[in-house]
């Protein structure tokens, strides 16, 4: 059965819907209504992607994520790559260099050993490329029908290397918004292998470790204000979250947003907006206007951010909003989606 | 309604069973199987408008320029008007 | 992408807008019929480029929005049958029925699948002989040929496990219904370019003559829409009321014969209820008796309770262009994409959803106006 996120559910309050996992409005509601009240503490309540902890004078960051993607293996990667890179990247977004990962597996009875081997091999390769060891783990098996082949949880610990606090609080009117490369490759790749929507083409997932690019910025002494990876909900989700917390207007120039021809073709065909499509190897950087040239030059020296460009600017406003100036010069608000985009015929 | 997108026909096949005229259409590098039964005159290299997996119209490449010709005419008219008003002022 | 990008370029678009400003001397109300056109207008902020006197009213050309609530209920009930795989276009899944949408049904265990084309549903039928494949066939004239082919092909292959739930609607009757309303302010139409690829535009001659309205068959890119507006405004300023074709690269006067033929073989015209508007005679399509075997309503004979619409929803007024989404008291508060009360809030190009999504809430209009002024 297809794993589709529910985009616009009725407010069925008594049960979990797919949209609760979409990363948008309903996910946030779930966190606020159920998890935060139960687990409340300073680190958690700050609601960063990674928790900042202090241990014997050293600043550490810790993050966890669970991967439920389907299909398990796709052009350019596997659920394993996503699990390793995703957590390493979350730590990087906190300005932390990952030093160790754990990996928890929930396997479905009947899963082909060959599939598991492929996934694990890709995790080994991704961990090597990221220079992070997987130091501990756990495996459970559930009855056939109770899982989707494989679910993976990875938890990562990192040492904070960033010289200043990174986050929406550090974003200022006048800041420039950069992205590390072209958008939409991962989400479109997943769609390309989904039953009922298949198409061929040079699309592969962009899953990658972002640490070298982030670290290059720190090593060049570029004052970074905020970093965010562009996973579920794409660039739109990331910018909306930042704009809301920072209380600013972020305006994107549509003509500057980089999208490859094939991602573009797929988006046109299926009626999707690339600004909402998931990425697994892309991030946004907020820097002061005077640091833009240098930041882009540094990013472009790293393979994973070779396509870095500026896409927008931050402006003063009384409350958070993200707008897009279209190619033809008109304006619109880039709203947060409730769940995943669906292909449309209209 | 009606998201229809222009794509270029790259191959035309006849489906193994029951002879539906199918082809591969290219959209910026993405290729999708499309039914070409409603555009029997379409050839490889033609652009077709595709809606839910069916080609519904062959793009008329000459007509595609008409709006740009119209704009050029507007430019010419403007030029003429400018010249006229300069003459009148003299 | 060829035949798309050129129609989105800044310079030609500005030039066309400039010409409209030169030609328009009085206020005019134009309706763009097709939801896809509404989507482009709101997504690109096209209205900002038009002079103040030109008002674009958004029409009922969103088959998702106008699908009767009872039909959604029927699709949901059919999907809940254990042997059924219900296939649908993505747009339909979020539309609320009397109590739930197809997505809610999925959460409760129904096998609901998104497909890009009805041919994909046909393929599912071939590869799942033990299951009943039901395709939710909605759309205007643009989609009818595809749905017709699927049934025709199923008949040729003698498939016994494929059927369609048909809820097709036709554009010209909707336009007439809009014009016939005593409160209508519509003075001209930007007709649905993609529907006309199939039907041609002969049918519009009678409407244009009877109601004395200009009708211009228009494409979907910013340059197309602006040229369509220019052609309409020129007609209105000159007191003409004719049918013209802006979308000449894709639309021919007679339309697509092969497509029209197949549709006529498989479907016949019938009256349909339009959600938010009511019954419009001869405004839809149903399967011909010869294809009754492929009619899911006949195959499953489900008896359903009377459908109930929210009484807060002013969809009918919005769909006919009599009110703007933000005129509705529930807009953005009790009615949002998360919890829609009516259809135009659900479809990605329903006027209410487009307005909400692209920020045309009254408080955001301010923000956008100052952005426009800052240019």
């Amino acid at each position: 059965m297809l794993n589709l996120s529910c985009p616009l559910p009725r407010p069925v309050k008594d049960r979990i819907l797919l949209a609760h996992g979409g990363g948008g409005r309903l996910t946030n509601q779930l966190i606020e209504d159920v998890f935060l009240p139960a687990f409340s503490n300073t680190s958690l309540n700050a609601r960063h992607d990674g928790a900042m902890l202090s241990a014997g004078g050293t600043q550490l960051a810790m993050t966890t994520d669970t991967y439920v993607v389907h299909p398990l293996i796709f052009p350019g990667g596997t659920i394993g790559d996503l699990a390793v890179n995703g957590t390493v990247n979350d730590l990087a977004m906190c300005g932390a260099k990952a030093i160790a990962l754990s990996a928890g597996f929930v396997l479905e009875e009947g899963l082909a050993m060959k599939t598991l081997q492929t996934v694990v091999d890709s995790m080994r390769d991704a961990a090597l490329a990221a220079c992070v060891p997987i130091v501990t783990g756990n495996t459970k098996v559930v009855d056939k029908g109770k899982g989707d082949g494989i679910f993976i949880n990875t938890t990562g610990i990192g040492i904070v290397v960033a010289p200043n606090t990174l986050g929406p609080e550090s974003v200022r009117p006048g800041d420039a918004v950069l992205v590390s490369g072209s958008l939409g490759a991962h989400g479109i790749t997943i769609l390309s292998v989904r039953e009922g929507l298949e198409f061929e083409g040079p699309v592969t997932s962009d899953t990658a470790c972002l640490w070298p690019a982030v670290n290059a910025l720190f090593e060049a002494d570029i004052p970074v204000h905020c970093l965010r990876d562009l996973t579920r909900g794409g660039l739109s989700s990331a910018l909306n979250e930042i704009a809301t917390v920072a209380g600013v207007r972020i305006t994107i120039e549509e003509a500057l947003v980089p999208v490859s021809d094939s991602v573009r073709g797929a988006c046109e065909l299926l009626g999707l907006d690339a600004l909402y499509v998931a990425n697994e190897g892309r991030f946004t950087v907020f820097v002061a206007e005077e640091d833009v040239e240098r930041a882009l030059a540094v990013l472009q020296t790293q393979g994973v951010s070779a396509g870095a460009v500026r896409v927008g600017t931050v402006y003063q406003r009384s409350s958070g909003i993200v707008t897009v100036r279209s190619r033809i010069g008109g304006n619109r608000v880039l709203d947060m989606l409730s769940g995943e985009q669906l292909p449309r015929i209209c | 309604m009606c998201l229809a997108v222009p794509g270029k026909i790259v191959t035309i096949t006849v489906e193994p069973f029951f002879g539906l005229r199918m082809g591969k259409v290219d959209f910026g590098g993405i290729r999708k199987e499309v039914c070409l039964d409603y555009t029997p005159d379409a050839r490889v290299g033609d652009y077709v408008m595709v809606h839910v997996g069916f080609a519904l119209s062959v793009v008329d490449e000459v007509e595609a320029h008409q709006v740009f010709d119209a704009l050029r005419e507007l430019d010419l008219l403007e030029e003429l008007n400018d010249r006229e008003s300069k003459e009148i002022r003299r | 992408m060829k035949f798309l990008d050129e129609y989105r370029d800044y310079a030609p678009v500005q030039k066309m807008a400039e010409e409209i400003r030169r030609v328009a001397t009085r206020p005019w109300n134009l309706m763009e019929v097709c939801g896809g056109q509404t989507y482009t207008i709101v997504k690109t902020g096209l209205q900002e480029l038009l002079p103040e006197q030109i008002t674009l009213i958004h029409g009922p050309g969103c088959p998702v929005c106008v699908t009767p609530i009872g039909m959604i209920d029927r699709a949901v009930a059919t999907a809940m049958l254990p042997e059924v795989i219900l296939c649908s276009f993505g747009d339909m899944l979020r539309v609320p029925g009397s109590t739930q949408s197809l997505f809610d049904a999925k959460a409760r265990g129904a096998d609901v699948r998104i497909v890009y084309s009805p041919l994909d549903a046909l393929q599912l039928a071939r590869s799942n002989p033990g299951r009943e494949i039901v395709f939710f066939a909605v759309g205007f004239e643009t989609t009818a040929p595809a749905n017709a082919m699927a049934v025709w092909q199923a008949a040729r292959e003698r498939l016994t496990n494929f059927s369609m739930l048909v809820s097709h609607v036709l554009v010209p009757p909707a336009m007439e219904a809009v014009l016939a309303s005593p409160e209508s302010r519509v003075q001209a139409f930007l007709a649905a370019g993609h529907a006309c690829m199939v039907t041609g535009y002969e049918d519009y001659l009678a409407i244009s003559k009877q109601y004395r309205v200009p009708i211009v068959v228009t494409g979907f890119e910013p340059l197309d829409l602006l040229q369509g507006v220019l052609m309409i405004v020129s007609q209105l300023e000159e007191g003409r009321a004719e049918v013209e074709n802006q979308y000449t690269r894709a639309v021919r006067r007679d339309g697509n014969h092969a497509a029209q033929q197949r549709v006529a073989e498989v479907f016949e015209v019938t009256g349909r209820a339009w959600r938010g508007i009511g019954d419009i005679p001869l405004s839809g399509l149903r399967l011909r008796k010869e294809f009754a075997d492929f009619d899911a309503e006949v195959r499953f004979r489900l008896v359903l309770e009377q459908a109930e619409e929210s009484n807060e929803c002013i969809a009918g007024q919005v769909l006919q262009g009599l009110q703007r989404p933000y005129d509705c008291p529930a807009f953005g508060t009790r009615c949002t994409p998360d919890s829609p009360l009516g259809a135009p809030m659900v479809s990605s190009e329903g006027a209410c959803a487009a307005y909400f999504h692209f920020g045309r809430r009254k408080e955001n209009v301010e923000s956008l106006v100052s952005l426009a002024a800052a240019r």
Side-chain angles (χ1 to χ4, degrees):
Chain A
M1 200 148 132
L2 290 177
N3 179 21
L4 297 161
S5 289
C6 170
L8 295 170
R10 308 292 289 308
V12 173
K13 295 272 188 218
D14 64 341
R15 48 183 80 215
I16 292 296
L17 301 169
L18 281 176
H20 283 118
R25 261 187 265 266
L26 281 194
T27 305
N28 284 319
Q29 237 171 61
L30 188 66
I31 296 173
E32 274 166 27
D33 295 345
V34 177
F35 296 117
L36 280 184
F39 303 144
S40 178
N41 60 67
T42 337
S43 288
L44 185 64
N45 296 344
R47 293 194 60 180
H48 283 152
D49 261 349
M52 306 304 258
L53 310 165
S54 218
T58 314
Q59 269 279 73
L60 296 177
M62 180 178 166
T63 187
T64 187
D65 212 335
T66 312
Y67 295 84
V68 301
V69 74
H70 210 86
L72 300 172
I73 300 168
F74 42 83
T78 73
I79 185 176
D81 290 295
L82 297 189
V84 168
N85 290 328
T87 295
V88 168
N89 292 342
D90 276 343
L91 288 172
M93 297 300 116
C94 303
K97 175 174 163 55
I99 56 168
L101 289 181
S102 74
F105 294 86
V106 176
L107 305 174
E108 187 183 1
E109 181 191 10
L111 174 74
M113 200 63 80
K114 188 160 176 282
T115 307
L116 179 61
Q117 190 67 59
T118 305
V119 169
V120 168
D121 285 347
S122 74
M123 289 177 79
R124 173 202 60 208
D125 295 340
L128 276 171
C131 307
V132 184
I134 297 173
V135 299
T136 182
N138 180 258
T139 309
K140 291 284 186 295
V141 179
V142 293
D143 294 326
K144 197 169 173 58
K146 297 276 163 79
D148 224 1
I150 306 178
F151 296 143
I152 306 179
N153 168 274
T154 45
T155 300
I157 304 224
I159 299 187
V160 177
V161 156
N164 52 282
T165 325
L166 295 177
E169 320 80 57
S170 305
V171 168
R172 302 271 166 276
D175 278 1
V177 184
L178 317 178
V179 295
S180 64
S182 70
L183 303 182
H186 178 76
I188 292 300
T189 302
I190 296 296
L191 277 183
S192 78
V193 293
R194 280 232 165 113
E195 188 184 47
L197 298 171
E198 300 109 330
F199 53 85
E200 293 163 19
V203 279
T204 57
S205 173
D206 55 10
T207 179
C209 170
L210 299 172
W211 178 247
V214 172
N215 194 38
L217 290 171
F218 297 144
E219 298 210 316
D221 284 319
I222 296 181
V224 174
H225 294 174
C226 186
L227 298 169
R228 191 63 59 105
D229 61 356
L230 310 178
T231 52
R232 272 177 322 185
L235 182 62
S236 166
S237 278
L239 294 184
N240 268 288
E241 280 166 17
I242 294 170
T244 305
V245 175
V248 292
R249 166 166 66 90
I250 299 176
T251 295
I252 299 300
E253 293 284 331
E254 188 190 5
L256 297 178
V257 176
V259 180
S260 76
D261 287 340
S262 37
V263 168
R264 188 86 211 277
C267 285
E268 292 293 341
L269 184 64
L270 299 173
L272 301 174
D273 187 342
L275 294 175
Y276 290 104
V277 180
N279 309 268
E280 289 290 338
R282 295 284 183 265
F283 66 109
T284 181
V285 187
F286 285 65
V287 293
E289 180 69 45
E290 62 262 23
D291 296 318
V292 172
E293 297 290 322
R294 276 201 310 140
L296 286 175
V298 167
L299 287 170
Q300 285 160 9
T301 63
Q302 300 297 317
V304 81
S305 49
V309 290
R310 179 201 190 136
V311 297
T313 310
V314 179
Y315 298 90
Q316 179 91 299
R317 194 175 184 266
S318 53
S319 63
I321 199 172
V322 181
T323 70
V324 177
R325 186 165 172 270
S326 74
R327 215 174 246 105
I328 64 166
N331 296 281
R332 79 181 204 249
V333 172
L334 188 68
D335 210 2
M336 181 94 103
L337 276 192
S338 302
E340 220 171 281
Q341 271 190 107
L342 290 184
R344 56 189 178 97
I345 64 156
C346 292
Chain B
M1 80 208 113
C2 317
L3 181 64
V5 187
K8 187 175 183 178
I9 300 178
V10 288
T11 58
I12 299 182
T13 59
V14 174
E15 199 182 84
F17 48 92
F18 296 110
L20 261 186
R21 191 166 176 259
M22 302 290 289
K24 277 238 160 69
V25 177
D26 182 290
F27 304 91
I30 293 294
R31 289 174 182 204
K32 189 102 174 101
E33 275 273 300
V34 169
C35 180
L36 301 174
D37 242 42
Y38 291 134
T39 50
D41 300 328
R43 298 278 164 265
V44 170
D46 284 345
Y47 278 81
V48 284
M49 298 301 295
V50 177
H51 172 69
V52 301
F54 284 77
L56 294 177
S57 172
V58 179
V59 177
D60 185 328
E61 310 216 6
V62 171
E63 286 296 336
H65 290 299
Q66 89 39 40
V67 63
F68 301 104
D69 294 336
L71 285 171
R72 258 191 294 279
E73 258 171 68
L74 289 176
D75 274 335
L76 284 172
L77 272 174
E78 231 178 80
E79 245 177 85
L80 282 172
N81 286 337
D82 282 344
R83 248 186 279 153
E84 252 184 56
S85 40
K86 281 201 193 111
E87 297 237 4
I88 291 169
R89 270 184 259 128
R90 254 201 252 128
Chain C
M1 281 175 71
K2 203 171 173 199
F3 301 120
L4 268 191
D5 291 341
E6 316 88 296
Y7 305 94
R8 298 178 181 181
D9 278 338
Y10 183 79
V13 163
Q14 294 300 319
K15 184 110 210 118
M16 194 66 81
E18 206 182 283
E19 185 61 12
I20 295 172
R21 280 194 289 276
R22 196 185 64 77
V23 169
T25 65
R26 279 166 286 167
W28 300 112
N29 299 318
L30 322 182
M31 173 175 274
E32 93 278 355
V33 182
C34 181
Q37 292 164 331
T38 308
Y39 192 82
T40 300
I41 289 165
V42 185
K43 184 176 182 190
T44 60
L46 196 88
Q47 178 81 62
E48 281 171 55
L49 275 67
L50 293 173
E52 290 231 341
Q53 319 109 294
I54 308 293
T55 307
L56 288 173
I57 302 176
H58 311 307
C62 167
V64 173
C65 300
V66 301
T67 300
I69 192 171
M71 191 51 91
I72 306 290
D73 293 342
R74 187 166 294 279
V76 166
T78 312
M80 295 299 294
L81 298 172
E83 70 273 24
V84 167
I85 301 177
L86 188 111
C87 304
S88 170
F89 298 124
D91 332 44
M92 291 311 296
L93 264 71
R94 304 170 284 207
V95 183
S98 299
T99 54
Q100 56 182 321
S101 69
L102 281 170
F103 247 113
D104 297 326
K106 188 177 187 314
R108 288 181 160 84
D111 193 343
V112 176
R113 307 203 194 173
I114 293 182
V115 292
Y116 163 69
S117 166
L119 293 182
D120 298 324
L122 213 52
Q123 183 55 35
L124 276 174
R126 291 182 197 120
S127 42
N128 291 274
R131 302 286 298 279
E132 279 286 337
I133 278 54
V134 177
F135 180 67
F136 196 8
V138 294
F140 280 93
E141 292 93 323
T142 330
T143 320
N147 294 336
M149 186 68 87
V151 172
W152 193 77
Q153 193 57 13
R156 265 217 291 200
E157 293 178 40
R158 299 192 214 285
L159 290 176
T160 53
N161 63 337
F162 179 81
S163 60
M164 296 211 306
L165 212 51
V166 178
S167 183
H168 261 292
V169 278
L170 302 172
V171 176
M175 286 163 69
E176 280 197 87
V178 164
L179 288 169
S181 164
E183 301 156 301
S184 168
R185 297 176 296 128
V186 175
Q187 294 163 306
F189 284 101
L190 289 155
H194 289 146
C196 290
M197 280 192 316
V198 174
T199 62
Y201 48 91
E202 294 260 342
D203 285 345
Y204 295 130
L205 294 166
I207 300 176
S208 173
K209 199 155 175 220
Q210 184 183 345
Y211 293 93
R212 281 210 49 83
V213 285
I215 300 180
V216 174
V217 179
T218 308
F220 292 71
E221 299 308 318
L223 197 57
D224 294 316
L225 288 160
L226 286 176
Q227 190 180 27
V229 170
L230 178 62
M231 288 163 76
I232 286 184
V233 172
S234 305
Q235 284 201 38
L236 289 167
E237 294 277 338
E238 291 163 30
R240 288 184 288 131
E242 290 157 14
V243 177
E244 290 184 281
N245 182 9
Q246 178 279 328
Y247 202 21
T248 51
R249 66 184 181 276
V251 176
R252 271 105 241 173
R253 191 195 169 100
D254 295 337
N256 182 322
H257 284 290
Q260 289 165 18
Q261 206 176 325
R262 187 52 39 86
V263 171
E265 275 165 15
V266 174
F267 293 112
E268 61 189 6
V269 177
T270 180
R272 279 237 179 258
W274 290 54
R275 187 170 183 174
I277 298 179
D279 286 313
I280 305 181
L282 303 175
S283 65
L285 296 174
R286 66 170 173 225
L287 283 168
R288 287 187 178 277
K289 279 197 219 41
E290 307 88 274
F291 295 95
D293 285 346
F294 300 99
D295 189 338
E297 278 191 76
V298 171
R299 183 176 292 213
F300 296 103
R301 297 205 180 281
L302 295 167
V303 177
L304 299 171
E305 277 175 36
Q306 180 72 328
E308 256 180 56
E309 196 66 86
S310 153
N311 47 21
E312 265 203 279
C313 175
I314 61 162
Q317 303 273 301
V318 172
L319 286 171
Q320 293 177 73
L322 300 169
Q323 301 239 49
R324 294 232 170 239
Y326 46 64
D327 292 327
C328 174
F331 178 78
T333 54
R334 289 178 300 290
C335 184
T336 67
D338 280 344
S339 51
L341 292 179
M345 185 55 89
V346 177
S347 164
S348 50
E349 28 86 8
C352 298
Y355 269 52
F356 187 94
H357 189 63
F358 293 127
R360 299 218 167 255
R361 277 155 268 194
K362 275 209 164 113
E363 89 262 6
N364 282 332
V365 171
E366 231 180 78
S367 174
L368 291 171
V369 162
S370 56
L371 280 176
R375 256 185 310 130

